[in-house]
């Protein structure tokens, strides 16, 4: 194995609580914890360094809502947090960085307002920006998947790679929250075309074997959410993986 897969847990927020949706559907939500900080501390204890924090309230209303949770996690753990959901304005972006996010994940804005997103890359640096690529049948989907775009995934990645983006969070939305395994084939294809990309795979990871498959495919990182909360991947397994 040429490298170790970096496991990045996701904490999705609604009303300040840790929740998960199935395929982005707000009607299908499960609350896993009233206080996300407790869970974040467990991740830190398991040797996890990174956290993917998603403001689902923010994604819905198109401006950031859950600053408070970001603030508490950054203040009370050593986790490097990337924050996404609802970042549509310069003010929101600045606020998220001011509240301690090391990086931000942006998707809809990068599709719909490429000039604005490009200006953020120039202002804050590409290393602080994670490009979200939510894909279905190799096409980009936007706005929490409530809309399809006409943008082919590989064109979108190419455009932003030219602009300096190296970090990409790619979610195969047909897999997300469905616990059926990730689209490893798609991620292999992306890495083959963009060998220097810090690709973060997302969607469908349901068991420890999925992590092994991604690691064997040389995928750099993976976001895991539901599998941890449903107990199909244990914190102990993650700890063992990180201790290898």
């Amino acid at each position: 194995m040429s490298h170790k897969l970096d496991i990045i847990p996701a904490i999705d927020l609604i009303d300040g609580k840790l929740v998960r949706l199935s395929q982005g559907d707000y009607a299908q939500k499960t609350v896993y914890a009233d206080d996300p900080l407790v869970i974040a501390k467990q991740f830190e204890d398991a040797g996890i360094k990174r956290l993917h924090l998603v403001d689902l309230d923010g994604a819905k209303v198109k401006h950031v809502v859950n600053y408070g949770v970001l603030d508490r996690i950054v203040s009370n753990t050593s986790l490097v947090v990337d924050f996404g959901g609802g970042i549509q304005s310069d003010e929101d972006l600045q606020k998220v960085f001011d509240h301690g996010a090391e990086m931000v994940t942006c998707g809809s804005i990068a599709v719909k307002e490429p000039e604005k997103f490009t200006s953020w890359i120039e202002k804050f640096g590409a290393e602080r920006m994670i490009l979200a690529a939510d894909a279905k049948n190799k096409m980009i989907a936007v706005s929490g998947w409530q809309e399809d775009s006409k943008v082919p995934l590989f064109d979108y990645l190419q455009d932003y790679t030219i602009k300096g983006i190296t970090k990409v969070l790619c979610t195969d939305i047909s897999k997300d929250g469905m616990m059926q395994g990730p689209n490893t084939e798609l991620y292999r294809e992306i890495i083959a075309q963009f060998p220097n990309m810090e690709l973060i795979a997302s969607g469908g990871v349901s068991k420890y074997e999925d992590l092994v498959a991604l690691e064997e495919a040389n995928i750099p990182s993976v976001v895991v959410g539901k599998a941890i909360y449903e107990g199909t991947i244990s914190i102990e397994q993650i700890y063992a993986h990180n201790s290898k």
Side-chain angles (χ1 to χ4, degrees), residues 47 120 165 204:
W120 292 353
I165 285 289

Side-chain angles (χ1 to χ4, degrees), residues 97-117:
F97 284 139
D98 290 346
H99 282 77
E102 189 68 35
M103 291 166 276
V104 293
T105 301
C106 298
S108 302
I109 197 97
V111 180
K112 293 175 168 176
E113 298 186 57
E115 298 79 13
K116 185 185 278 188
F117 185 62

Side-chain angles (χ1 to χ4, degrees), residues 57-78:
D57 294 311
K60 204 171 189 178
V61 299
K62 299 189 170 20
H63 65 85
V64 179
V65 176
N66 285 286
Y67 295 111
V69 179
L70 167 63
D71 211 53
R72 286 185 65 224
I73 290 175
V74 171
S75 307
N76 294 287
T77 72
S78 62

